[in-house]
Amino acid sequence: MTYFDELNALLAAEQQYDKAQHEALLLRSTLNERRVQGVSWFPIAISNSELGRGDYLTITVSKTNNLGEGHKFRFGMPVSLFSNHDAQHDRIDGVIAFVSRDSMRIAFKVDELPDWSRRGKLGVDLLFDENSYKEMRIALKQAKELLEDRQHGQLIRQLLGVDSIPPQITQPVYQHPDLNASQNQAIQAILGGQSVNILHGPPGTGKTTTLIHAVQALLKNKKQQLLLVAPSNTAVDVLTERLDALGIAVVRMGNPVKISEHIQSLTLDAKVENHAANKEAKTLEKQARAYTDMGHKYKRNFGKLEREQRKALFDEARKLRKEIDRIQDFMIADVLDKVQVITATLVGANHYTIRDRRYETVIIDEAAQALEPACWIPILKAENLILAGDHCQLPPTVKSSQRSNEGLYHTLFEKLVARYPEHVSLLNVQYRMHTQIMTFPSAAFYDNRLQAAPLVADRSLLNDEEPLLFIDTAGAGFEETQLESAISNQEEAAFLRRHLHSLLSTLSQDYPLTDMPSIGIIAPYRGQATLLKEMIKEDTEIVAYSAPIQINTIDSFQGQEKDIIYISLTRSNSAQQIGFLADVRRMNVAMTRARKKLIVIGDSSTIGQHPFYRDFLDYVERINRYHSVWEWSMDHL
């Protein structure tokens, strides 16, 4: 089996599992449960309908209640419009053309909605997204075919290690006063003309800032359009906004997650809407809608003459639609040709408007969190490739496997770091953490190569001499509980709440209420996070002390930072089972969210046999930051 055949087999297993999970969710859940899960909208109202591109009927729907609630609907995903009159049979499938928090446009390949759409209350279900998997499979197939093509498959062979990456063509000098030496050196390497560059950005080291400066430098030198992609919509939004703020002409493919007028104005839809030629298209659309509306006025029981007249009206609307499509194609091409950077998700790089475009340079951000099959979609459009990320933080989301060191968890970024260490640029100055918080992650993951910038090296809370502490619950009887696979620890959560009380009382003496330090509480287990949320929400004294305290799992804290971070390790059992605490990359994320103070609470007798936690315990003891829970009597807290 070849390299790409193996990837295809892993992808097929992931698709099969993902589809089974999604369909089971739709089948076993009530409509209200699906709404809470973010995979259904109900009830909705249709506010507009029109015949759109390619004879697709496009409708606009809006929520009528539960406004502002989060959801999983995204641009390009398949959906099903249904009526609760007969939700099993009264259904029609379409594709999301636009979605915001409370409204969406859906395209259907029909002239008009079925009669049942005027009966009962309407809703929308999110269907399984076959398209993303289809695009990944196509990319793997094309990559496999191009591997043998000496002319067009060169980059593929280099990435797989079949051919070596040639040395730098030039030795450019790049010095920006706002960047540190490692950031400037990384950009120098990118400007050197190599086909592959790897930017390794540990927590707080300014990876995004470095990428944005690299884009500026590439555009100045090459003056050619770039493609900048990331696996998450949120990352694409951040990059798009940062580029626009520097005056770089950028277009965002798809719909942003951050629904703000400014970022909406950077989308392809918005730029086409504001194009000079759009006035003519709007006039023709008005005429086409008039013909369509006239055709819809005919009843079902009409005669031959009426049938012919109806057909003639629809034919006329379609002729106008073809002219509108021609104008829209012109406007889309004009917008895309004039921008300097196109931003998209990995799968969005194959949006029909840019599917056939090629780029001298493609940049993949968050590459260490990206499924490899998805990375091949933009890679196939590249002459040169820049990958940015950190394989020592969270891996990609893989649903079909729990083995976090193999299969699709093993990313292309990670493989290339191991294969081509000489092409890796490590950003080694972090601007987030106090030195004591940084030191252990630096030793455990980055060969002690991280440095704290002078601005943050000794930055701590006022009158606080312990920026890091570990509180050991061993022997206190704080036993974990497991209910339906949800793991929690009631006593550990209660202790954390009492400790937080004490800390907030101290902070209130040093800080005004309007300037209290930000606080995050991280639990590796969802059950513990839920328990902590309930405990703290009911604690009126804690709620009154400060701005809302964020409590969540590790994955939800990726990319964030707080002045103070609590970590509740949760596990406490005589068998020393630590479950996925053994995925130390997640703990790297958790520990590196803190700016000024990190408080880790856990049972040393449970975690201490694992090398990572044994080393951590050794570190906190060495710097005199180890404490026992017994030091805090119940009276003291």
Side-chain angles (χ1 to χ4, degrees), residues 186-234:
I187 295 173
Q188 280 184 195
I190 286 169
L191 296 176
Q194 290 176 138
S195 53
V196 179
N197 276 282
I198 303 161
L199 181 65
H200 184 189
T205 54
K207 172 178 63 67
T208 302
T209 297
T210 307
L211 265 188
I212 297 301
H213 279 279
V215 168
Q216 272 190 307
L218 283 166
L219 291 171
K220 184 179 178 182
N221 277 25
K222 304 276 187 179
K223 294 184 172 56
Q224 291 192 359
Q225 192 174 73
L226 305 176
L227 175 66
L228 180 50
V229 295
S232 74
N233 276 287
T234 304

Side-chain angles (χ1 to χ4, degrees), residues 395 398-410 583 585:
V398 180
K399 299 172 184 176
S400 59
S401 171
Q402 299 303 312
R403 299 179 179 177
S404 60
N405 61 343
E406 59 183 48
L408 291 176
Y409 281 114
H410 195 33
D583 184 356
R585 289 178 294 183

Side-chain angles (χ1 to χ4, degrees), residues 368-371 390-398 404-405 408-411 414 555 558 583 585-586 589:
Q369 283 187 268
L371 290 176
D390 181 13
H391 56 295
C392 302
Q393 294 190 63
L394 290 180
T397 299
V398 180
S404 60
N405 61 343
L408 291 176
Y409 281 114
H410 195 33
T411 61
E414 196 172 355
D555 293 41
Q558 171 85 345
D583 184 356
R585 289 178 294 183
R586 281 191 152 75
V589 173

